[in-house]
Structure formats: structure tokens, C-alpha cells
Amino acid sequence: LLRQSAGLLTRTAAMSRHAAFFATDGADAAALLDGDAHRDGAGRLADAAGDLALAMEHALAREPLLAARLALSLDAALALKGEAAASRRSVLERARRTVGDGELRARLLLAEGRLDRAPSALLEEALALSRGTEHEAEILLAQAEEAAPSDPPLSRTLLERASALEAPIRVRGRILALMGELAWSLGLVHEASARLRAALAIHLELGDRRAVARTSAFLAHVDRIETGGGAARALLAQAEQAADELGDPVVAARVMLDLGQHLTRVGDQAGARAALDLAARTYDRLGLARDRAFLHLHVAETLVGRGEHDAALQEALAAWSALPEDVGRSTVHEAIGCIQMLRGELAEAERWIEEG
């Protein structure tokens, strides 16, 4: 019995050392993801994913703070593998329920709050725990990103609060980029261009591939209107390269979505449909409902360009059915109304546009 007890204690101690090692190693690897050493960090996380999961299981019942650190690194590894949001949410939620530490809990809440269809209360609690810390601006940015599609004025207010705080230059660059996106949504082309170009310069200097991919792709749309699109294809190529180097399937899908929109507008409907199909497969695999819903709308646009108005209507109706709550509904109503007009269904067109 004594030998068995000693053996159990030895195994437990070994597992604790294993967990402590991978908590530190995983955090160090995850810290490399937003810089020039991204590939190294991504490789280390991929290699360590199994050990991180095993270590977290050991730590959950024994060392909650260690489990929280492991969960954050494991979430980063799962994101790079393209795991569905439900799997990542389970990891983060289990760790969050055991930890009371303010900063670690806030980081878990922020990571979980950024997942598709996460309750807004997660980011609200994260913000309450982070007042006066270096994480406050990043949480306000996450809230602004969430609000942008349905409430641009609220998003802008949150960004103004974030920009007034001391924040890492990486976060400031992303704040500036979202301000540019909001300006674009309001038709302020020159303001959008200035903010996005300034943000892109910051992203490139820091080697922030996630932000480079998003901002370069978005700027391509602005450039097409501002200059006629002379730099649009180069910006999209830059976005594709950053996404490839990053290895995050969600980022790659977003770039394919932007590429599809651009090709639609320059008349390459076949190329647009191919890019949008790639994005659709990723969104379906990962269960990203809202992104998938809006993608239906972009497919509808390519079908309109090919004169396939009945098929375009089916895609637009699929977008309307799939969107959660009231997010973006007015845009979809307007699109359905325009398609009905092209089909000659004037009464239906008027009804959809008025309801929107």
C-alpha cells in the first residue's frame, strides 16, 4: 500500500511538473504569433497541442491558475488547427469556471467572448475586471468589433474610448483599422483610406499577419473606389500571403471572401465563385453561422452578375434565414428587394425593401 501511494505521489508530481513546463512553453509560443516569429510559434503550438490538453486536464482539479494559462495556449493551438468554436469554447469555459484570479479570468473571458455567437456578457465581465490595466483597450476593441455590423455608432464610441487609453502599438494599429472600416461603412472614402493605410503601416512594421491580412483585403475595396483599383490586386495578394503564413483558416476564409467580392466587382464571376466556395467550406466546417450567412449574400451578388436571378434569390433568402436575431437584416432585406426587382416582381421588391 505504501509503495502504491508513493507511486501515485510520484506520478502526480511528474504530471504537475509536466503541466508547469507546458504552461510556460505554450505561453511563450503563443506570444510569438503576432510577430515576425509567427511560424516558429505556430509550429511549437502544433507540436504541443496534445501535451497542453493533457496538462490542462491534470491541472483543472489541482491548480486552477495553471489550468487557465494552459487553456489560453491550447485555445491558440486549436484556432490554428481550425477547430470548431464549440471545442474552443469548451476549453476556455472549463478553465474559466475554476479560476477567480482577475487578470487570468479576464483573458479567458476575452478569448471566449471573441468566438462566434458568444454572449456579450463575457466581454462585459472581462472589461469590468480589466479597468486600468493594459488589457482594457483590447477588450473595448473586441466589443467594438462585435458591435460594428449592427450598431456602427456604438462601435465608434467604444473605439474612441479605447484610443484614449494607453495600449500596446499592436492594439492601437487594430483600433485605427476598425475606425477605417467604420468610416468606409458610412461612405467616408478618404477618411477610411487614410486610417486603413496608417493602420496597415503599423501592422507591417510589427509583422502582425492577422491584422495585415484583414486590413490589406479591406483596403483593396477602398482602393477600387478611391483610385480605380490600381493597387487592389496587389493588396489582396499581400493579404493572401499574410493569411497563408498565419495558418489560421478563419483569416484565410475572410481573405477569400474579400477576394470574391473584388472579383465580382471587376467582372470575374467564375473566379469570384471559386473564392467564395473556398470560404464557404471553411465556415461550414467551423460552424461560423453569421459569417456563413453573409457569404450567401456575396454568392447572390456573383449570381446576379451572371444573370442567374432565381438562384441569386435563393442565396439571399438563405442569408436572411441564417442570420441570428436582427444583425444585418436590413442589408439582406434590401438585397432581396433588388433581386426581386431584377426578376420583375415589383410588389415583392417593394415589400422587402419597406420591411428592411
Side-chain angles (χ1 to χ4, degrees), residues 41-205:
R44 286 168 58 183
L45 283 173
D47 291 341
D51 286 297
L52 288 167
L54 182 64
M56 180 183 155
E57 289 298 325
H58 170 80
L60 275 171
R62 299 169 178 84
E63 301 176 74
L65 298 184
L66 196 61
R69 293 168 57 201
L70 287 159
L72 290 166
S73 299
L74 179 56
D75 176 59
L78 294 176
L80 289 168
K81 287 175 60 180
E83 288 288 337
S87 299
R88 297 174 58 194
R89 183 176 293 113
S90 175
V91 167
L92 294 165
E93 183 180 13
R94 290 173 68 209
R96 172 170 58 83
R97 292 188 182 282
T98 66
V99 70
D101 177 83
E103 181 183 354
L104 274 173
R105 183 174 177 82
R107 290 171 62 194
L108 290 165
L109 287 161
L110 173 59
E112 189 180 347
R114 279 181 158 155
L115 296 176
D116 189 51
R117 291 192 170 186
S120 60
L122 295 175
L123 291 178
E124 290 169 4
E125 184 183 346
L127 183 62
L129 290 169
S130 301
R131 303 285 187 195
T133 73
E134 62 178 15
H135 301 297
E136 184 177 0
E138 187 170 9
I139 296 167
L140 286 168
L141 170 60
Q143 289 183 313
E145 290 170 338
E146 181 67 22
S150 57
D151 195 344
L154 173 60
S155 182
R156 191 176 185 95
T157 297
L158 291 165
L159 289 173
E160 288 171 351
R161 285 175 58 192
S163 63
L165 299 171
E166 291 293 330
I169 186 65
R170 175 184 61 83
V171 175
R172 300 192 72 82
R174 294 184 180 188
I175 290 169
L176 190 58
L178 186 54
M179 284 183 165
E181 292 181 24
L182 289 174
W184 171 254
S185 73
L186 297 172
L188 305 173
V189 176
H190 296 303
E191 179 184 340
S193 177
R195 290 186 183 278
L196 288 166
R197 293 181 195 280
L200 182 57
I202 294 172
H203 305 333
L204 288 168
E205 181 180 353

Side-chain angles (χ1 to χ4, degrees), residues 6 18 41 53 64 152 178 192 194 209 238 246 263 275 282 310 325:
H18 173 272
L178 186 54
R209 287 166 177 77
Q238 181 171 259
L246 187 68
L263 293 175
T282 298
D310 289 346
E325 301 172 358

